[in-house]
Amino acid sequence: GLLGVGFQQYGNKEKLKSSPLQHLFEVYVQINKAAEDETTKKLAKDFFRKLEEHDEQTLSLWRQFRDFSIEEYIRIYKRLGVHFDEYSGESFYQEKSQEVLKMLEDKGLLQKTIKGTGIVDLSEKKDLSSFSTVMRSDGTSLYITRQVSPSVDLAAAIDRMNKHRCDTMIYVTDKSQSNHFQHLFQILKLMGYDWAERCQHVSFGLVQGMKTRRGEVIFLEDVLNEVRSRMLQNMASAKTTKEIEDPVETAEKVGLAALIIQDFRGLLSSDYQFSWDRALQSRGDTGVFLQYTHARLHSLEKMHGNEQLMDVNVACLQEPDAISVLQHLLRYDEVLYRSSQDLQPKHIVSYLLTLSHLAAVAHKTLPVKGSAPELAKARLCLFQAAGSVLASGMKLLGITPVTQM
């Protein structure tokens, strides 16, 4: 509602086309400054009511905002190697949420407070010591604080389960919504949906201290552009970039690895302090180091003709550095299993960082060139295996391994 009123006052159709997210954000900031004013509040409420009443003019503006936003999401997420099969927002479930309220009423779960709000009692003793508000006093089921209202989320969960028959339904949002999802799953159970047991909330913490050259409010696209340009600079000063076919593309992939590893190193729900310098170090526990190790292992393989290694005698790998790499490679499946159980990528991250350090040491102490043919073959086989596991783990984290840098 606020955004609609804001756009009528401050909006610019050209800017909306050329940079929708940026422009809608600017409009939102401007109208929020005016939102203290009663007239603005009333206008926003009216705008919103018109939306719910399907007023054509209001709907058409909302559709524009939505379509432009989704186009932007698709474009930006593509850079992260992410695509979504479906974009179904709150509006999609608006009518279905009325059906949910009726179901709650029929099952005797919906209670009205003196103020007229609709609540569901979640307490064990049924003494309202814990409850969830599902409907506002004016009968609309909309926003409670800053979250999607439970009735919309209930409608969405039921609809998705009917449509997709999920084994597990995983909600990924920031940790301030933990309570909301706990309530949501409880209400689904009370409604008799056994599959609520298979719903899970994966929460994430806040990134603190992140600034780009463009200021305080951080847009993902600015971060992606900045990490790419910083990486290009670092590569240029490393003097090896001359041979790279597409330095910009490589900088993008290595920069993304730096961001992803910094983000996934700890528990997802922990807040962490962001640091450009730390993220982009080429040595140490960073995504840059993973990419660098992968590129080195790849070029070692290339140097020896990418041969398919047959009948390798691995028994001749007796050195402690070779054995350390071998033993670590054997742990890969156990680490994948662990991450699949608790849905935390940090196990894979720390495994890959250790693998890179072990492989870097072995690369120095176990030369392939100049060794006896049988030994050279066994060592090459070991480095190939390390490179292949490294690439596999990186892809699982959403990182595209590079072969030169």
Side-chain angles (χ1 to χ4, degrees):
L2 262 180
L3 194 56
V5 173
F7 194 77
Q8 287 165 346
Q9 291 181 20
Y10 312 110
N12 174 320
K13 289 235 154 84
E14 288 314 304
K15 277 188 183 170
L16 182 66
K17 270 198 182 117
S18 62
S19 52
L21 296 184
Q22 199 78 37
H23 183 53
L24 288 176
F25 175 73
E26 284 159 10
V27 168
Y28 190 64
V29 169
Q30 274 180 291
I31 193 68
N32 256 309
K33 286 178 187 158
E36 295 311 304
D37 167 54
E38 286 307 314
T39 325
T40 309
K41 275 185 191 164
K42 189 181 173 317
L43 286 171
K45 261 195 169 148
D46 291 348
F47 187 95
F48 197 83
R49 203 192 58 251
K50 282 185 192 162
L51 259 187
E52 290 203 314
E53 289 164 359
H54 300 285
D55 168 67
E56 208 24 68
Q57 204 182 346
T58 318
L59 269 178
S60 112
L61 187 60
W62 168 78
R63 270 193 212 104
Q64 274 183 313
F65 291 171
R66 185 182 190 276
D67 295 346
F68 281 135
S69 298
I70 289 178
E71 270 171 43
E72 280 288 87
Y73 294 148
I74 291 171
R75 186 180 64 76
I76 295 168
Y77 273 114
K78 197 174 173 189
R79 285 178 70 176
L80 292 170
V82 172
H83 89 279
F84 292 99
D85 297 295
E86 202 180 293
Y87 287 84
S88 51
E90 184 149 351
S91 52
F92 184 75
Y93 296 109
Q94 206 47 58
E95 277 158 33
K96 288 194 170 81
S97 75
Q98 296 306 316
E99 294 165 27
V100 167
L101 290 171
K102 190 164 180 341
M103 280 165 77
L104 287 169
E105 209 162 4
D106 296 346
K107 286 182 187 289
L109 294 168
L110 189 67
Q111 300 184 24
K112 286 274 173 67
T113 65
I114 303 162
K115 290 179 185 163
T117 46
I119 61 170
V120 175
D121 187 356
L122 299 173
S123 60
E124 280 186 18
K125 295 180 180 161
K126 297 294 162 218
D127 57 3
L128 286 178
S129 55
S130 164
F131 65 86
S132 177
T133 307
V134 290
M135 187 178 79
R136 286 205 311 224
S137 55
D138 58 6
T140 62
S141 63
L142 263 143
Y143 275 61
I144 289 171
T145 61
R146 286 178 56 192
Q147 296 162 354
V148 174
S149 79
S151 58
V152 171
D153 258 339
L154 289 165
I158 295 164
D159 186 62
R160 287 168 183 160
M161 211 33 142
N162 289 340
K163 197 151 80 191
H164 302 298
R165 306 260 167 246
C166 319
D167 296 320
T168 311
M169 195 139 59
I170 300 169
Y171 291 82
V172 185
T173 72
D174 78 291
K175 60 184 177 186
S176 72
Q177 302 204 21
S178 296
N179 227 357
H180 169 75
F181 285 107
Q182 220 177 332
H183 284 178
L184 180 73
F185 304 154
Q186 266 180 289
I187 296 173
L188 285 167
K189 247 184 242 176
L190 288 174
M191 290 173 82
Y193 293 113
D194 298 341
W195 48 258
E197 295 282 355
R198 309 202 303 273
C199 293
Q200 223 174 330
H201 178 218
V202 172
S203 62
F204 53 83
L206 298 175
V207 181
Q208 292 158 334
M210 189 186 233
K211 278 186 187 154
T212 64
R213 294 178 181 126
R214 292 196 37 186
E216 292 288 339
V217 173
I218 308 298
F219 283 88
L220 177 58
E221 188 163 27
D222 292 343
V223 176
L224 298 182
N225 291 343
E226 180 143 352
V227 77
R228 183 176 60 197
S229 78
R230 283 178 186 246
M231 207 52 237
L232 261 176
Q233 262 175 329
N234 292 0
M235 281 161 48
S237 58
K239 307 274 187 294
T240 52
T241 316
K242 285 189 282 296
E243 309 97 60
I244 294 180
E245 284 146 38
D246 189 343
V248 177
E249 182 66 14
T250 302
E252 170 103 351
K253 288 174 183 162
V254 178
L256 263 179
L259 289 176
I260 289 172
I261 295 299
Q262 169 131 302
D263 202 56
F264 283 176
R265 273 186 62 186
L267 264 177
L268 286 181
S269 58
S270 303
D271 301 340
Y272 71 91
Q273 212 42 46
F274 182 84
S275 148
W276 284 108
D277 294 338
R278 198 176 62 233
L280 294 171
Q281 276 171 3
S282 55
R283 291 272 179 268
D285 290 341
T286 63
V288 182
F289 180 61
L290 287 187
Q291 289 282 32
Y292 176 68
T293 309
H294 182 266
R296 277 179 78 187
L297 291 171
H298 179 83
S299 68
L300 179 72
E301 209 176 313
K302 217 164 121 192
M303 211 161 66
H304 295 278
N306 285 342
E307 55 182 296
Q308 279 298 312
L309 297 169
M310 304 306 244
D311 4 291
V312 179
N313 176 17
V314 286
C316 60
L317 293 171
Q318 293 295 330
E319 302 82 1
D321 290 341
I323 290 167
S324 297
V325 174
L326 274 171
Q327 285 176 329
H328 194 65
L329 288 174
L330 283 172
R331 289 190 47 238
Y332 187 45
D333 56 351
E334 158 202 327
V335 169
L336 296 186
Y337 178 73
R338 208 171 150 197
S339 273
S340 75
Q341 290 302 294
D342 67 4
L343 301 182
Q344 294 289 338
K346 71 183 181 115
H347 312 302
I348 299 174
V349 171
S350 83
Y351 174 86
L352 295 179
L353 289 167
T354 304
L355 177 61
S356 293
H357 289 297
L358 293 173
V361 171
H363 189 267
K364 276 196 195 106
T365 60
L366 310 173
V368 174
K369 204 174 167 186
S371 301
E374 190 182 44
L375 186 59
K377 216 175 184 185
R379 284 176 178 174
L380 195 56
C381 183
L382 179 70
F383 289 125
Q384 266 185 10
S388 138
V389 169
L390 192 55
S392 153
M394 282 157 81
K395 285 176 192 158
L396 278 178
L397 297 171
I399 295 170
T400 308
V402 300
T403 51
Q404 310 169 285
M405 66 179 273

